[in-house]
């Protein structure tokens, strides 16, 4: 007998039900029932931001080497669940098993690639500035803070990894909104994160409707940045940008036709970094 699953949210390292008690059916590409997923509410979004803010100090204060170790451990666990991810991708996207397995492997490779930048990004983006005077003038990158990430529905796992990993590798914490059928790979990823060494609250995953979750996250004054990758409605994207202007959030706009397989470069990491410049007298 098949066990019908009801997936929960992932907030602060735990798996609570939505405070609203709502859920929705996740179906396959052919319309068959796969599982129930929690339908997150505005209150859940606020709880996720609170958990992300609580975790920010510890995560951003960890050494870059330690963050890299933790992200590599997550990649190892992703690889251990590769076949499960492939089965879920094949079901929700209606692709062949071979294509789904290729996406799962690409997601693992992408996660490892970003993990490798944990202790290198400051060397690449930091600099000693030439100044006219007896000073050292040093610029170094620092994490922005709490980032609300709207994951694309397709590709369900590869797209999620491609927007989440660059946010947390530098020390930011994340609130991820995973839409529709993307809930299955997202919650399986949450199970991986919960059983890795990642501190609770660094990543918080909400499943449900982007149109319902996006406005309260964009207007939340304790959210420092938005990645609108999964917002397909141009009108909604413009509305979120206006809401984000209230506390000068950084906003990464959605791309019309993103090529997730292209070399990602450092663009997504840099989008959520601030630059701190320090002056120090020398030779006086």
């Amino acid at each position: 007998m098949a066990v019908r699953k009801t997936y929960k949210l992932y907030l602060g390292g735990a798996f609570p039900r939505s405070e609203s008690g709502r859920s929705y059916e996740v179906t396959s590409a052919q319309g068959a029932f796969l599982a129930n997923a929690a339908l997150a509410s505005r209150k859940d979004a606020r709880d996720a931001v609170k958990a992300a803010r609580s975790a920010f100090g510890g995560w951003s204060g960890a050494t870059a080497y330690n963050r890299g170790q933790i992200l590599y451990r997550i990649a190892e666990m992703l690889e251990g669940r590769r076949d499960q991810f492939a089965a879920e991708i094949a079901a929700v996207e209606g692709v062949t098993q071979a294509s789904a397995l290729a996406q799962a492997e690409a997601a693992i490779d992408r996660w490892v690639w970003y993990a490798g930048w944990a202790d290198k990004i400051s060397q690449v983006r930091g600099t000693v500035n030439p100044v006219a005077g007896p000073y050292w003038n040093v610029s170094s990158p620092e994490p922005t803070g709490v980032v609300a990430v709207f994951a694309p529905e397709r590709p369900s796992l590869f797209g999620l990894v491609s927007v989440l990993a660059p946010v947390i590798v530098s020390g930011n914490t994340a609130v991820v909104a995973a839409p529709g059928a993307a809930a299955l790979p997202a919650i399986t990823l949450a199970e991986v994160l919960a059983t890795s060494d990642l501190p609770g609250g660094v990543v918080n995953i909400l499943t449900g409707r982007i149109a319902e979750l996006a406005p309260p996250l964009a207007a939340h004054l304790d959210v420092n940045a938005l990645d609108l990758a999964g917002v397909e409605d141009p009108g909604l994207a413009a509305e979120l940008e206006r809401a984000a202007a209230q506390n000068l959030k950084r906003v990464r706009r959605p791309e019309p036709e993103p090529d997730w397989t292209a070399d990602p470069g450092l663009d997504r990491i840099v989008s959520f970094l601030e630059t701190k410049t320090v002056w120090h007298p020398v030779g006086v």
Side-chain angles (χ1 to χ4, degrees):
M1 179 181 294
V3 178
R4 293 199 165 213
K5 301 177 180 65
T6 299
Y7 291 103
K8 302 177 184 178
L9 307 175
Y10 181 56
L11 303 179
F15 290 91
R17 292 181 173 84
S18 170
E19 62 81 29
S20 66
R22 301 177 304 170
S23 63
Y24 68 98
E25 289 190 1
V26 179
T27 59
S28 70
Q30 292 75 34
F33 174 85
L34 295 176
N36 292 306
L39 186 61
S41 67
R42 297 168 63 95
K43 174 63 165 57
D44 296 319
R46 293 195 296 270
D47 290 344
V49 173
K50 183 178 179 180
R53 177 57 63 191
S54 297
F56 177 69
W59 184 242
S60 62
T63 65
Y65 177 73
N66 182 234
R67 286 199 300 270
Q69 283 182 310
I70 292 172
L71 293 180
Y72 273 117
R73 175 58 182 153
I74 293 170
E76 291 174 352
M77 300 183 72
L78 282 169
E79 190 169 42
R81 290 205 181 197
R82 179 181 55 188
D83 292 342
Q84 179 184 356
F85 279 115
E88 291 175 350
I89 293 167
V92 300
E93 296 188 20
V95 297
T96 64
Q97 190 64 28
S99 177
L101 187 60
Q103 183 185 151
E105 291 174 344
I108 296 165
D109 291 345
R110 178 66 51 93
W111 193 280
V112 171
W113 189 86
Y114 275 117
W117 281 102
D119 58 356
K120 301 176 184 66
I121 189 65
S122 62
Q123 301 171 51
V124 174
R125 299 300 300 185
T127 184
V128 176
N129 305 304
V131 294
Y135 305 100
W136 285 110
N137 183 262
V138 181
S139 295
S140 60
E142 292 190 341
T144 294
V146 175
V147 182
V149 179
F150 301 97
E153 194 162 19
R154 298 288 186 275
S156 54
L157 178 63
F158 190 46
L160 172 60
V161 166
S162 296
V163 296
L164 174 59
V167 167
I168 65 173
V169 67
S170 61
N172 295 300
T173 55
V175 176
V176 181
L184 248 61
I187 293 301
T188 301
L189 176 62
E191 292 174 354
V192 167
L193 300 178
T195 51
S196 69
D197 298 324
L198 189 74
V202 172
V203 176
N204 306 274
I205 298 179
L206 306 169
T207 53
R209 305 186 188 105
I210 292 291
E212 180 177 0
L213 297 173
L217 288 173
H220 201 299
L221 296 182
D222 212 17
V223 173
N224 304 107
L226 303 176
D227 185 342
L228 305 181
V231 179
E232 298 178 353
D233 180 359
L236 176 60
E239 177 188 333
L240 299 179
E241 286 192 56
R242 287 192 292 269
Q246 184 177 4
N247 68 331
L248 302 180
K249 292 179 178 66
R250 283 174 171 260
V251 177
R252 185 179 176 93
R253 294 182 174 90
E255 300 173 25
E257 295 181 2
D259 181 5
W260 296 107
T261 62
D263 182 352
L266 299 181
D267 193 37
R268 285 193 174 274
I269 300 179
V270 173
S271 293
F272 305 109
L273 290 176
E274 306 286 348
T275 299
K276 178 177 72 176
T277 300
V278 177
W279 294 72
H280 192 281
V282 294
V284 178

